[in-house]
Amino acid sequence: MKALFSEFQGEWRPAPKWVEFLVRFGYGWRDQESNQRRIAVVSMPCDSPAAGLIVLGALVRDLGRTEATNLTGHYHALLQYASQYLRACAICDVRCRPELKRCGYVAEASGLLRHSQRKGPFQITAIKDSGALGIVTRHDGGTWQFTPKSAVNLRIDGDPLPKLINGEGALPASAYEQIIEGAQIVSQNVRESFSGLCFAGRATGKSATHAACASIRFKCEGLEYGLPELLAVHGWSSSNRVSRVNFFNSRTEEIDRPGPETALVVADGDASFLKVIDLPQFQRSDVIGVINRSVDRERSETVGNRLVGLRQWFVEDPEVNRGRLGVPAGIRLLQLKKGSR
């Protein structure tokens, strides 16, 4: 790692081994990519921003994948959202309790869209088929119809921009290249949002997760970056930015933007890990849980018992668990993969 590291506003120094390992672990997760679901538990000796560092590594890997963009399925996602609103949420009598209504949706669709160049929001009123599908919205007494080509300027209310109109607000590619030496970054990815990576925050809430990550800074070619800024979670920095990481609030059990199936969830803490493992929307996702060994014995035993239960469907990954990854002293790693005994 060429970037310098600082913790709790301390002096700048080369990144310690535990930091490099965690970032590299997240970056290398897709090196083991297979059709088998995988679950890992990273056990830390104390409270730390380890989960955020793993997310950072996974984010840098996604920046190098041409398919890691929401634009490919953006219009289809808007249509799904509009359909959910018109067919279910607009007429629903339970606001909003999907588990009671049993509608099959994870979160409510408000039916509101925003346009990058016009004041909004706009209310969806219909989906029409006129040669090409169009989402019709009502605003100021009129209706506008959007097609796949023009919909790149649209986003669901509360979601990040799907793509920057110009370079302003692009993610700092050079910083990521300093953090992961040799990382190959696709130039357009730093200007486009992606929803395949999820950060499941601490059980104490989003602000506590942000505060833990804010204790870490990197200096890259003389420029300083806080970990929250590099993680590109929507709302953690400038609002006029793209986002490369979904955020799941473990306290409220809400995700900041429901979307395509999540490939990887990194859970911060034992409570977050246990919650993510059991949620239906993450049943097909890989999960990395970061556990603090200094928590009380009962909480540690709860995690242990859950892992024992998972062994009915998962087996240990011998290559990883035999130390092939060079885990630093103080960190313990257990990795399971879906399979049969």
Side-chain angles (χ1 to χ4, degrees), residues 81-123:
Y81 173 80
S83 177
Q84 176 188 337
Y85 170 70
L86 294 170
R87 297 178 183 178
C89 297
I91 57 175
C92 184
D93 56 354
V94 182
R95 314 223 67 96
C96 173
R97 300 290 297 277
E99 71 278 9
L100 295 180
K101 190 69 175 181
R102 295 184 179 180
C103 57
Y105 296 110
V106 174
E108 181 180 12
S110 67
L112 297 177
L113 301 176
R114 289 191 178 272
H115 193 281
S116 59
Q117 297 174 311
R118 297 169 178 168
K119 291 184 178 180
F122 311 116
Q123 183 71 56

Side-chain angles (χ1 to χ4, degrees), residues 199 202 205-215 228-229 235-237 247 268:
F199 189 1
R202 299 184 172 203
K206 189 172 185 177
S207 59
T209 309
H210 182 279
C213 291
S215 67
E229 180 182 2
W236 276 18
S237 55
F247 188 84
D268 192 351

Side-chain angles (χ1 to χ4, degrees), residues 273-284:
F273 171 70
L274 292 171
K275 193 165 287 188
V276 163
I277 284 292
D278 291 328
L279 285 173
Q281 62 261 46
F282 298 131
Q283 287 303 297
R284 295 173 60 88

